[in-house]
Each structure stands twice: as C-alpha cells, then as structure tokens.
Amino acid sequence: MSKNNNKLSIIPLGGVGEIGKNMTAYVYGNDIIVVDAGLKFPEEEMLGIDIVIPDITYLIENKNKIRGIFITHGHEDHIGGLPYFLKHINVPVYGTRLTLGLIEGKLREHNLLEVTKLITVTNKNNIKAGVFTVTPFYNNHSIPDTVGFAIDTPEGVVIHTGDFKFDFTPVDNRKADFHMLAEWGQKGVLALLSDSTNSERPGYTMSERVVGVTIDDTFRQAERRIILATFASNLHRIQQVFTAAERFGRKVAVVGRSMVNNINIAMELGYLQVQKGTLIDPDEVNKLPADKIVVLSTGSQGEAMSALTRMARATHRKVEILPGDTVIIASSPIPGNEKFISRTIDQLFRIGANVIYQQVSGVHVSGHGSQEELKLMLNLVQPKYFIPVHGEYRMLKKHVELAVGTGVEEENCFIVDIGDQIEFQNGRARMGSKVPAGTVLIDGLGVGDVGNIVLRDRKLLSQDGILVVVVTLSKAEGNILSGPDIISRGFVYVRESEQLLDEANRIVTATLQRMVAENVNEWSSLKTGVRDALSRFLYEQTRRRPMILPIIMEV
C-alpha cells in the first residue's frame, strides 16, 4: 500500500446517472489511463442533435499524463466517442481483435487511422501503463471479444467489468474468466466498478442460445421470405441467423450500411462462420423463390432512415415487404424508441406480414446480467469498495442494495455523478472535488458548438415560430423611412391574420416613435423595446410566444 502523498482517483466522465457514453479515468500521480470512450443518442428535447459525447476538458488539460485508452468492447456506447477523443489526445488504444477491427472503420472515416497506434490484447496480457498494470479478462455480452479490466494500482487492484452477463452456454463457446475473477477476489480487491444496466431485473439473463431456438422454430415454420432486424453489432445473433439459414437451405441478403460493415469486418477476422454461397447481393432477392430467402437488416429501433423502416414504407430501393413475409424484430426497445418501433410494427401488420417481436416471443435476450449474475460477480470479486456504473440513478441505487446484500459495507458503496472523484489513499476511500465534466453535443460537423441557448431557441422556434420585424431609420432625424415589414414563419398564417399583423405593425411604429422622441438611439435598446412591446401584445392576442427578431437599419 502507498504511504506517500499520492492517491488513486477514479473519475467517471460518462455512463453514470445515464445509459451510454461510458468513460472512466484512473489517475495516480503523473499517470492517467482511460477506460472506454462512448457516445449516447440524443434525448427528445435535443432538437437536431446527432450524437452526444463526454466532455473531456479534464483529460485535455492533463493530456501529457495519459498513458493509453483501454476499450472493453465494440458497442457504440463504448467506442463511439473515440475519434473525437483521439483528435485531441493521441495515445495508444488497447482492445481485443474484433473491437479494434470495428474501431479501425471509425478511425478511417475520421482520417485518424494512420496516426493512431492500435494494440491488440487478450486475457494473457499484462499491460504496463505508467504505474498501472492492466490485465484483460473475458466476459460474455451481446458482441464477441468483450473484456473487463483488472487494474493493478499502487493502492490495490480495481476490477472494471465493462458490460457483462454470465452466459454458461455462449454461442462462440468462449466462457467468462471466472477463475481469474475468483483469484483476484482471493488476493483482495480494493474496488469493483460493475455494470448496472439490468440491476432492477430479478433472476438470470437467459443464454443467447435461447434466441437460436426461437430463430430455428421461425425458420422451420415460415413459408415465404424472412426479414430479421437486429442490432448490427449483435454478432452472436447474426451468427445464429446464418447457421439457421444454412440448415434450412435459405440464402441471406444483408441490408443497412452498419450491418454490412460489421458483418464484413467480423467475417474477415473470423468471428462469423458463413459457408460459401450463403451470402447473396440484395439485388438477387427478387430472383429467388420466396421460401429460399432471408433478409438481415438494421432498423430494430424503428429509426426513420433505417432499412426496416424504409422496407415497411415501401421506399427501400431493393427490398419490399410483401403479404405473407415473416418479419422478426430481434431486439428490445432502447428507452424512448418505443413509439417508433410500434409505428413500424403497425405498418408491417398493415402490409400483411407476420411480425414476431419481443413482447410476444423469445426473439431477444439482453446482453447484460440480471440480479443473480451481478451478485455472482460481487461474490467472486469480494471488493472492499463498490462503485456501480453504466446505469441511471435508480439502477445504481438498486445495484448498491445487491452489493450490501452480498456483504459489502454500506458506507463503502459510492453512487457517483459524472465528474465526481473517488480518492483512495492508504486503503481508505473518500469523495474528492469535482472535475469539469458533462456532455458535448454533435450536430453535423459541429462538435460542441450547439449549447443550451441554441437548443432553447430551437425549441422556441419549433413550438411558436418566428416573427422578423424589418425597419429602416434615418440617421439624421431618427424617423422611420421604410417599414416596419413583418415576416412570420411558423407563427400564424399571414393571409388569415392580416388584422393581427396590421396591429403589430402599428405597435412597432408607435414604440419606435416614442423611443426616438425620448432620445433613445442605442440599437440594442430600440430592439429590446420593440421586442418587449410586440411580445406582450402577441401573447395577449394568441397566448403564444414566438421568437421576435427586430432588424433595424440606419440610412
């Protein structure tokens, strides 16, 4: 144990109090390592935003101390923010073969592949990174090659699980490294950071093979084409689709850019076993008998531009869903997407398809452990301190209850917020000061240039529209030379509201004349006066508050 002034700080920069954008920094003296760099998808009120990533101000300020970034697995909520991280901080990236294969595709898009050092790891490696020694261990999850990390620090060993479940019959036959976890538990673990996604769900999460049985049954019974939509990253499920298709003599066409990319990478690296001739081009779908076809597609979340949604609306270039086709939606809704999915399912039923989805069949199992598996992890590791991560507040709270039930002292459990520091010194833990943290919004090519004020304006525009008032004043006399002209968009229909706009015109004129008479000639004051008077009037008349944009020109 350290007896000096240095301390170990664990700082979650994302993934606590929320689902997604997972990122954690481990700091000791002059060394920092980072685990994961994820993104999350925007919430409903984030109008026009494409993705959300962690705020890495703290890491940029300390970039000379960062020794590497360690990635647990290839899901977007763990790798999606990596290109944005690497643009500021060029350090080695450590991950398993498949994870790095998926990362390569991302870095190529951002022109970072040439300048980034990617280092492949397995559970046989001990990686030295400053004072830290990092040892990967295999986990089960819904994507192959998932690991957690045991991080050996001068204060003791910290286990960072990443996303996991315990699948005793995994599709790829690679079981979790129970023995490694138990060994660390035997020697003594300082702290455990564990996945809380399913901490509210009792029992065990079923094996991915259960879905294989449902897929087999569906393939056996389907008389026409089968269209199966799932997450592009769920390679275990995609493997089971290929296996079933080969067993029942069907060809597989893949649609959806992310699905095509992931399948190509996984086949290249040997993570998907597909017989020669099974894969066909989507152009061939209409040339083969209906009972010989499977279409594998993205869009299990009802996203507007995804392959499945376009097929349901008959706007897909190559594949149309026909009456009698069987559509399998093999995923559970991400919170917030339920209505998009129900809309797609409705549309599919209207076409006359047979739709199989999670509520009515076993076509999806989670990739995250339920309560009994979380307890098993706690019992194997027997940590002194416990920090639940990867979940919303209620999930973290529930996970702490499970930890206390397995014997962790309640005062040794920390529910943290983004940017909180948990400091360990001489085997004792305490909350430290906060570091700058939060969210960075990405809109198109703009990174972080959209903040709360822009979002507030977008919300206002989307609810009550905009009025633009254009006036030209004479510089010498201060009287109105032309206007006011009022342009309305999204507020009222001009032709039916002439009276309202005439009255608004009069109010603007009267306000400007009064202010000029009072010798107010500051532009900003004139604009504020016009805005206030007009806003009051319009609210009285319509109970709406459009955005008012006065434009005053001087001649």
Side-chain angles (χ1 to χ4, degrees):
M1 291 289 175
S2 68
K3 293 291 174 201
N4 56 19
N5 288 329
N6 276 340
K7 54 185 182 282
L8 167 69
S9 294
I10 299 177
I11 310 170
L13 294 170
V16 289
E18 62 184 356
I19 298 280
K21 73 176 178 65
N22 299 293
M23 181 183 246
T24 311
Y26 289 82
V27 186
Y28 189 92
N30 282 322
D31 296 306
I32 298 176
I33 59 168
V34 180
V35 175
D36 289 333
L39 58 74
K40 74 172 182 177
F41 295 105
E43 283 145 29
E44 260 180 48
E45 63 272 15
M46 294 180 178
L47 302 166
I49 298 302
D50 299 323
I51 57 173
V52 184
I53 58 172
D55 179 348
I56 57 168
T57 307
Y58 171 79
L59 296 177
I60 293 171
E61 285 167 3
N62 293 284
K63 68 178 178 189
N64 299 335
K65 299 179 181 178
I66 299 174
R67 306 291 166 241
I69 180 159
F70 293 79
I71 307 294
T72 56
H73 64 284
H75 277 156
E76 287 293 330
D77 57 337
H78 294 258
I79 65 170
L82 193 55
Y84 304 98
F85 172 91
L86 292 169
K87 277 175 188 166
H88 297 284
I89 302 166
N90 189 354
V91 293
V93 179
Y94 297 89
T96 53
R97 268 182 73 222
L98 177 64
T99 305
L100 293 185
L102 295 168
I103 286 171
E104 267 180 31
K106 285 195 162 310
L107 299 186
R108 197 172 288 119
E109 274 176 34
H110 288 261
N111 296 323
L112 288 166
L113 192 53
E114 303 305 315
V115 294
T116 305
K117 192 174 179 189
L118 300 175
I119 299 168
T120 307
V121 298
T122 70
N123 64 347
K124 301 280 185 286
N125 295 111
N126 296 319
I127 304 118
K128 283 292 288 171
V131 295
F132 302 100
T133 303
V134 182
T135 307
F137 57 89
Y138 287 127
N139 267 335
N140 306 121
H141 188 42
S142 51
I143 186 170
D145 246 9
T146 298
V147 291
F149 297 112
I151 302 166
D152 200 347
T153 78
E155 283 291 329
V157 172
V158 178
I159 303 280
H160 188 115
T161 67
D163 288 358
F164 78 96
K165 69 181 196 181
F166 286 126
D167 193 335
F168 300 103
T169 53
V171 173
D172 59 359
N173 293 320
R174 178 185 274 167
K175 298 187 178 66
D177 284 325
F178 293 100
H179 58 287
M180 290 171 81
L181 290 164
E183 252 171 60
W184 284 311
Q186 208 72 58
K187 290 176 190 161
V189 167
L190 177 69
L192 169 68
L193 279 75
S194 182
D195 171 17
S196 310
T197 310
N198 274 349
S199 62
E200 300 169 295
R201 189 184 284 181
Y204 293 90
T205 300
M206 287 191 294
S207 168
E208 183 63 40
R209 283 189 196 247
V210 173
V211 178
V213 174
T214 310
I215 289 173
D216 265 17
D217 289 348
T218 310
F219 276 46
R220 193 174 293 113
Q221 290 158 13
E223 289 168 10
R224 295 181 60 79
R225 297 183 309 173
I226 296 169
I227 293 97
L228 187 139
T230 189
F231 292 118
S233 60
N234 197 336
L235 294 168
H236 290 319
R237 192 154 307 156
I238 291 167
Q239 177 66 69
Q240 299 192 95
V241 172
F242 278 113
T243 307
E246 286 159 2
R247 190 175 300 139
F248 293 99
R250 288 178 180 256
K251 303 288 184 195
V252 181
V254 182
V255 292
R257 192 173 72 108
S258 54
M259 185 74 86
V260 172
N261 288 350
N262 285 7
I263 286 177
N264 286 341
I265 291 166
M267 282 170 67
E268 230 169 85
L269 296 174
Y271 288 89
L272 268 183
Q273 311 306 320
V274 181
Q275 289 172 16
K276 207 173 167 39
T278 301
L279 255 181
I280 58 165
D281 194 84
D283 290 331
E284 295 177 52
V285 166
N286 298 326
K287 300 174 188 166
L288 291 168
D291 61 349
K292 293 281 177 265
I293 290 290
V294 179
V295 177
L296 196 49
S297 133
T298 53
S300 62
Q301 296 299 308
E303 308 94 316
M305 295 310 292
S306 65
L308 181 68
T309 309
R310 295 212 306 271
M311 287 188 264
R313 292 197 192 125
T315 56
H316 195 279
R317 282 205 324 269
K318 296 184 176 177
V319 184
E320 190 181 342
I321 292 173
L322 303 169
D325 285 350
T326 298
V327 180
I328 306 170
I329 298 177
S331 73
S332 63
I334 293 172
N337 287 354
E338 295 86 354
K339 66 170 185 280
F340 303 120
I341 299 172
S342 350
R343 206 176 291 155
T344 304
I345 292 173
D346 245 32
Q347 193 64 38
L348 293 164
F349 273 118
R350 278 176 194 274
I351 296 169
N354 309 317
V355 190
I356 297 169
Y357 49 102
Q358 197 202 357
Q359 286 88 322
V360 293
S361 75
V363 284
H364 177 70
V365 297
S366 174
H368 301 269
S370 299
Q371 288 180 356
E372 297 306 312
E373 289 144 283
L374 300 182
K375 288 186 212 165
L376 178 53
M377 179 63 86
L378 282 153
N379 280 321
L380 284 168
V381 171
Q382 302 172 49
K384 181 176 177 186
Y385 291 100
F386 176 65
I387 304 159
V389 290
H390 303 182
E392 291 168 357
Y393 186 85
R394 65 181 191 284
M395 300 166 186
L396 306 180
K397 184 97 179 104
K398 193 75 202 160
H399 204 167
V400 163
E401 285 172 27
L402 300 176
V404 171
T406 64
V408 181
E409 300 284 336
E410 194 159 348
E411 60 270 21
N412 287 0
C413 297
F414 291 89
I415 296 181
V416 289
D417 242 337
I418 293 172
D420 281 346
Q421 281 196 77
I422 304 124
E423 297 176 347
F424 297 86
Q425 199 166 22
N426 303 327
R428 308 277 312 244
R430 62 169 184 270
M431 291 299 282
S433 55
K434 250 179 142 49
V435 307
T439 54
V440 172
L441 308 179
I442 294 182
D443 184 357
L445 294 173
V447 178
D449 57 350
V450 172
N452 292 340
I453 293 172
V454 174
L455 285 181
R456 190 190 65 202
D457 286 351
R458 286 181 182 181
K459 189 170 185 207
L460 190 61
L461 288 167
S462 73
Q463 288 171 341
D464 292 334
I466 185 170
L467 272 190
V468 182
V469 182
V470 186
V471 188
T472 308
L473 295 180
S474 136
K475 207 167 191 175
E477 285 95 50
N479 55 345
I480 296 174
L481 293 181
S482 80
D485 293 323
I486 293 183
I487 302 153
S488 156
R489 287 289 179 275
F491 168 56
V492 288
Y493 185 50
V494 175
R495 283 190 188 152
E496 288 170 7
S497 310
E498 282 172 5
Q499 207 177 340
L500 177 76
L501 295 179
D502 286 348
E503 186 57 36
N505 223 320
R506 275 196 294 281
I507 284 170
V508 174
T509 309
T511 306
L512 284 171
Q513 284 168 344
R514 191 193 76 238
M515 292 179 85
V516 169
E518 291 168 3
N519 277 335
V520 177
N521 47 21
E522 279 274 298
W523 276 29
S524 56
S525 308
L526 291 172
K527 285 181 177 179
T528 306
V530 168
R531 198 181 288 121
D532 291 349
L534 204 46
S535 185
R536 264 197 310 275
F537 165 71
L538 293 174
Y539 186 71
E540 281 164 13
Q541 297 298 318
T542 64
R543 285 290 178 269
R544 294 182 217 159
R545 296 190 192 279
M547 181 184 282
I548 296 168
L549 218 56
I551 297 171
I552 298 174
M553 294 177 285
E554 281 188 331
V555 175

